[in-house]
Amino acid sequence: MRKKLFRAATLFICHLLLLSLFSCGEDVKNTKTVFAMDTVMTLTAYGKDTSAALDTAAKTIRELDKKLSYSGKESEVYKLNSSGGKPVKADDDLLTPLKVSLDVSEKSGGALDVTVFPVVKAWGFISKEYTVPTDNKLASLLKNVDWSSVKISEDSVSVPENAEIDLGAVAKGYASERAAETLISKGVKSAVISLGGNVRTVGTKPDGSKWNVAVVDPTEPGTKTVGTLKLGETSVVTSGGYQRYFEKNGKRYHHIIDPKTGRPAESGLISVTVVCDDGTYADALSTALFVLGLDKAMEYYREYGGFEAVFITDDKKITVTDGLVSAFTVSDDSGFEYAK
Ligand code: ADP
Ligand code: MG
């Protein structure tokens, strides 16, 4: 009898506990992990019954991974690259990231260039068999690198026969934007979509306060941060030489190529974090500004605007654009300080 009573009491307490966990519906946290676009992606939503929305968002990302990857039979990019120069019908999932890329290419004087793909391959960043290409090899590949050779019409795209494109510099940004749209359309009011170095927030934290997004220390990315950004609904994308690289004869070669030289960009920047309401632009810009270097990146900012940024240079100095000054806090003992 006593045992039964005890069991009933325990059950009751357990139910109470469960109720207290779920009754404050808005605060229930739900997380889904997806591996796509060569990175681990985490989708976190707060609120009641968010799991179906998260599943749909994950499906959106997986579909985009197939469409925007450079290979595979479902890849729109592959179709375009193997079309022999002829126009190929394209939907918004190809047109939008491509248009954003070309816009940033034009404004940055070609610092971002989707046609740099054969050069990226020559360094082994696709096969993961890393090599330093010869000057001759780079010179011959660079002859066909020209973003302005990609032609877009209302519903089709063409790429010259001797060129190849890759959307690696913008695909995650576009995917984060589409995943956010999916969550919002399913009624999610509070979420964080984290795709590698791309973060897209939806709404605010469940208690109405801003999100904290860390800016990783590019010299010790696994363990330290340079600072934190306090932000509402937006996109935060970081490009850095530390994200993918190999070393040969004591020299480090990273995956962001300067289309002018065909070599990993050596602009003095070691990371660029862009905050922009449009995730596709944020991704395109972070890559382009990394190639441009601090001075030209600031010129771009002053001329075109539409985004904010945190720049980190190889002398451990931080430059924050005006719109982020109050949102950014440097981490204690980070070893980084503001540039003069
Ligand atoms: P990550 O993919 O690490 O988030 P980025 O968004 O900066 O980093 O994109 C880098 C990827 O884009 C490279 O892996 C390569 O495939 C491609 N890429 C490298 N340099 C350029 C460039 N100058 N313009 C366009 N794409 C580039
Ligand atoms: Mg990018």
PDB file of all heavy atoms in Angstrom, residues 146-162:
ATOM      1  N   ASP A 146      36.019  35.447 -65.163  1.00  0.00           N
ATOM      2  CA  ASP A 146      35.431  36.754 -65.448  1.00  0.00           C
ATOM      3  C   ASP A 146      33.937  36.709 -65.127  1.00  0.00           C
ATOM      4  O   ASP A 146      33.140  36.146 -65.878  1.00  0.00           O
ATOM      5  CB  ASP A 146      35.645  37.082 -66.933  1.00  0.00           C
ATOM      6  CG  ASP A 146      34.983  38.385 -67.324  1.00  0.00           C
ATOM      7  OD1 ASP A 146      34.473  39.097 -66.429  1.00  0.00           O
ATOM      8  OD2 ASP A 146      34.953  38.679 -68.533  1.00  0.00           O
ATOM      9  N   TRP A 147      33.593  37.288 -63.983  1.00  0.00           N
ATOM     10  CA  TRP A 147      32.181  37.240 -63.549  1.00  0.00           C
ATOM     11  C   TRP A 147      31.246  37.832 -64.591  1.00  0.00           C
ATOM     12  O   TRP A 147      30.095  37.429 -64.702  1.00  0.00           O
ATOM     13  CB  TRP A 147      32.012  37.960 -62.204  1.00  0.00           C
ATOM     14  CG  TRP A 147      32.427  39.402 -62.243  1.00  0.00           C
ATOM     15  CD1 TRP A 147      33.662  39.905 -61.983  1.00  0.00           C
ATOM     16  CD2 TRP A 147      31.612  40.507 -62.619  1.00  0.00           C
ATOM     17  NE1 TRP A 147      33.679  41.257 -62.162  1.00  0.00           N
ATOM     18  CE2 TRP A 147      32.410  41.661 -62.551  1.00  0.00           C
ATOM     19  CE3 TRP A 147      30.270  40.659 -62.995  1.00  0.00           C
ATOM     20  CZ2 TRP A 147      31.935  42.932 -62.841  1.00  0.00           C
ATOM     21  CZ3 TRP A 147      29.784  41.931 -63.291  1.00  0.00           C
ATOM     22  CH2 TRP A 147      30.613  43.046 -63.207  1.00  0.00           C
ATOM     23  N   SER A 148      31.751  38.810 -65.404  1.00  0.00           N
ATOM     24  CA  SER A 148      30.844  39.480 -66.341  1.00  0.00           C
ATOM     25  C   SER A 148      30.522  38.601 -67.549  1.00  0.00           C
ATOM     26  O   SER A 148      29.671  38.949 -68.374  1.00  0.00           O
ATOM     27  CB  SER A 148      31.420  40.823 -66.781  1.00  0.00           C
ATOM     28  OG  SER A 148      32.565  40.612 -67.581  1.00  0.00           O
ATOM     29  N   SER A 149      31.171  37.434 -67.634  1.00  0.00           N
ATOM     30  CA  SER A 149      30.833  36.514 -68.732  1.00  0.00           C
ATOM     31  C   SER A 149      29.591  35.685 -68.401  1.00  0.00           C
ATOM     32  O   SER A 149      29.064  34.968 -69.253  1.00  0.00           O
ATOM     33  CB  SER A 149      32.019  35.592 -69.033  1.00  0.00           C
ATOM     34  OG  SER A 149      32.223  34.689 -67.964  1.00  0.00           O
ATOM     35  N   VAL A 150      29.124  35.757 -67.156  1.00  0.00           N
ATOM     36  CA  VAL A 150      27.891  35.041 -66.769  1.00  0.00           C
ATOM     37  C   VAL A 150      26.711  35.931 -67.144  1.00  0.00           C
ATOM     38  O   VAL A 150      26.638  37.085 -66.721  1.00  0.00           O
ATOM     39  CB  VAL A 150      27.866  34.770 -65.243  1.00  0.00           C
ATOM     40  CG1 VAL A 150      26.583  34.063 -64.841  1.00  0.00           C
ATOM     41  CG2 VAL A 150      29.087  33.974 -64.827  1.00  0.00           C
ATOM     42  N   LYS A 151      25.846  35.408 -67.998  1.00  0.00           N
ATOM     43  CA  LYS A 151      24.727  36.231 -68.480  1.00  0.00           C
ATOM     44  C   LYS A 151      23.409  35.715 -67.930  1.00  0.00           C
ATOM     45  O   LYS A 151      23.117  34.513 -68.011  1.00  0.00           O
ATOM     46  CB  LYS A 151      24.663  36.207 -70.018  1.00  0.00           C
ATOM     47  CG  LYS A 151      25.945  36.695 -70.681  1.00  0.00           C
ATOM     48  CD  LYS A 151      26.134  38.194 -70.538  1.00  0.00           C
ATOM     49  CE  LYS A 151      27.403  38.674 -71.223  1.00  0.00           C
ATOM     50  NZ  LYS A 151      27.987  39.864 -70.608  1.00  0.00           N
ATOM     51  N   ILE A 152      22.629  36.651 -67.385  1.00  0.00           N
ATOM     52  CA  ILE A 152      21.340  36.270 -66.803  1.00  0.00           C
ATOM     53  C   ILE A 152      20.221  36.937 -67.591  1.00  0.00           C
ATOM     54  O   ILE A 152      20.288  38.127 -67.884  1.00  0.00           O
ATOM     55  CB  ILE A 152      21.259  36.738 -65.336  1.00  0.00           C
ATOM     56  CG1 ILE A 152      22.312  36.024 -64.504  1.00  0.00           C
ATOM     57  CG2 ILE A 152      19.877  36.500 -64.762  1.00  0.00           C
ATOM     58  CD1 ILE A 152      22.154  36.211 -63.020  1.00  0.00           C
ATOM     59  N   SER A 153      19.198  36.135 -67.946  1.00  0.00           N
ATOM     60  CA  SER A 153      17.987  36.753 -68.492  1.00  0.00           C
ATOM     61  C   SER A 153      16.879  36.435 -67.489  1.00  0.00           C
ATOM     62  O   SER A 153      17.142  35.930 -66.408  1.00  0.00           O
ATOM     63  CB  SER A 153      17.674  36.199 -69.874  1.00  0.00           C
ATOM     64  OG  SER A 153      17.133  34.909 -69.720  1.00  0.00           O
ATOM     65  N   GLU A 154      15.657  36.697 -67.850  1.00  0.00           N
ATOM     66  CA  GLU A 154      14.558  36.562 -66.893  1.00  0.00           C
ATOM     67  C   GLU A 154      14.502  35.181 -66.221  1.00  0.00           C
ATOM     68  O   GLU A 154      14.319  35.072 -65.025  1.00  0.00           O
ATOM     69  CB  GLU A 154      13.249  36.824 -67.624  1.00  0.00           C
ATOM     70  CG  GLU A 154      12.174  37.383 -66.723  1.00  0.00           C
ATOM     71  CD  GLU A 154      10.991  37.792 -67.547  1.00  0.00           C
ATOM     72  OE1 GLU A 154      11.103  38.763 -68.336  1.00  0.00           O
ATOM     73  OE2 GLU A 154       9.970  37.118 -67.415  1.00  0.00           O
ATOM     74  N   ASP A 155      14.653  34.136 -67.044  1.00  0.00           N
ATOM     75  CA  ASP A 155      14.514  32.807 -66.445  1.00  0.00           C
ATOM     76  C   ASP A 155      15.601  31.836 -66.923  1.00  0.00           C
ATOM     77  O   ASP A 155      15.446  30.637 -66.888  1.00  0.00           O
ATOM     78  CB  ASP A 155      13.134  32.220 -66.757  1.00  0.00           C
ATOM     79  CG  ASP A 155      12.930  32.051 -68.257  1.00  0.00           C
ATOM     80  OD1 ASP A 155      13.785  32.553 -69.031  1.00  0.00           O
ATOM     81  OD2 ASP A 155      11.949  31.422 -68.655  1.00  0.00           O
ATOM     82  N   SER A 156      16.703  32.386 -67.401  1.00  0.00           N
ATOM     83  CA  SER A 156      17.802  31.496 -67.796  1.00  0.00           C
ATOM     84  C   SER A 156      19.160  32.144 -67.533  1.00  0.00           C
ATOM     85  O   SER A 156      19.252  33.354 -67.321  1.00  0.00           O
ATOM     86  CB  SER A 156      17.669  31.090 -69.265  1.00  0.00           C
ATOM     87  OG  SER A 156      17.905  32.208 -70.070  1.00  0.00           O
ATOM     88  N   VAL A 157      20.180  31.282 -67.547  1.00  0.00           N
ATOM     89  CA  VAL A 157      21.550  31.744 -67.295  1.00  0.00           C
ATOM     90  C   VAL A 157      22.465  31.083 -68.306  1.00  0.00           C
ATOM     91  O   VAL A 157      22.240  29.929 -68.694  1.00  0.00           O
ATOM     92  CB  VAL A 157      22.043  31.295 -65.896  1.00  0.00           C
ATOM     93  CG1 VAL A 157      23.400  31.891 -65.583  1.00  0.00           C
ATOM     94  CG2 VAL A 157      21.054  31.643 -64.805  1.00  0.00           C
ATOM     95  N   SER A 158      23.519  31.785 -68.702  1.00  0.00           N
ATOM     96  CA  SER A 158      24.547  31.101 -69.492  1.00  0.00           C
ATOM     97  C   SER A 158      25.934  31.429 -68.956  1.00  0.00           C
ATOM     98  O   SER A 158      26.172  32.510 -68.414  1.00  0.00           O
ATOM     99  CB  SER A 158      24.429  31.476 -70.970  1.00  0.00           C
ATOM    100  OG  SER A 158      24.869  32.801 -71.154  1.00  0.00           O
ATOM    101  N   VAL A 159      26.792  30.411 -69.083  1.00  0.00           N
ATOM    102  CA  VAL A 159      28.183  30.533 -68.653  1.00  0.00           C
ATOM    103  C   VAL A 159      29.015  30.082 -69.849  1.00  0.00           C
ATOM    104  O   VAL A 159      28.691  29.059 -70.460  1.00  0.00           O
ATOM    105  CB  VAL A 159      28.428  29.591 -67.443  1.00  0.00           C
ATOM    106  CG1 VAL A 159      29.902  29.436 -67.147  1.00  0.00           C
ATOM    107  CG2 VAL A 159      27.692  30.092 -66.208  1.00  0.00           C
ATOM    108  N   PRO A 160      30.048  30.821 -70.259  1.00  0.00           N
ATOM    109  CA  PRO A 160      30.820  30.412 -71.432  1.00  0.00           C
ATOM    110  C   PRO A 160      31.336  28.971 -71.314  1.00  0.00           C
ATOM    111  O   PRO A 160      31.568  28.487 -70.198  1.00  0.00           O
ATOM    112  CB  PRO A 160      31.998  31.397 -71.448  1.00  0.00           C
ATOM    113  CG  PRO A 160      31.563  32.546 -70.635  1.00  0.00           C
ATOM    114  CD  PRO A 160      30.591  32.027 -69.631  1.00  0.00           C
ATOM    115  N   GLU A 161      31.520  28.356 -72.457  1.00  0.00           N
ATOM    116  CA  GLU A 161      31.922  26.947 -72.489  1.00  0.00           C
ATOM    117  C   GLU A 161      33.207  26.685 -71.692  1.00  0.00           C
ATOM    118  O   GLU A 161      33.337  25.668 -71.027  1.00  0.00           O
ATOM    119  CB  GLU A 161      32.109  26.526 -73.950  1.00  0.00           C
ATOM    120  CG  GLU A 161      32.270  25.033 -74.089  1.00  0.00           C
ATOM    121  CD  GLU A 161      32.152  24.582 -75.534  1.00  0.00           C
ATOM    122  OE1 GLU A 161      32.157  25.455 -76.435  1.00  0.00           O
ATOM    123  OE2 GLU A 161      32.074  23.358 -75.751  1.00  0.00           O
ATOM    124  N   ASN A 162      34.133  27.649 -71.772  1.00  0.00           N
ATOM    125  CA  ASN A 162      35.426  27.435 -71.101  1.00  0.00           C
ATOM    126  C   ASN A 162      35.446  27.919 -69.643  1.00  0.00           C
ATOM    127  O   ASN A 162      36.493  27.966 -69.020  1.00  0.00           O
ATOM    128  CB  ASN A 162      36.542  28.114 -71.901  1.00  0.00           C
ATOM    129  CG  ASN A 162      36.192  29.561 -72.212  1.00  0.00           C
ATOM    130  OD1 ASN A 162      35.256  30.118 -71.630  1.00  0.00           O
ATOM    131  ND2 ASN A 162      36.926  30.168 -73.133  1.00  0.00           N
TER     132      ASN A 162
END
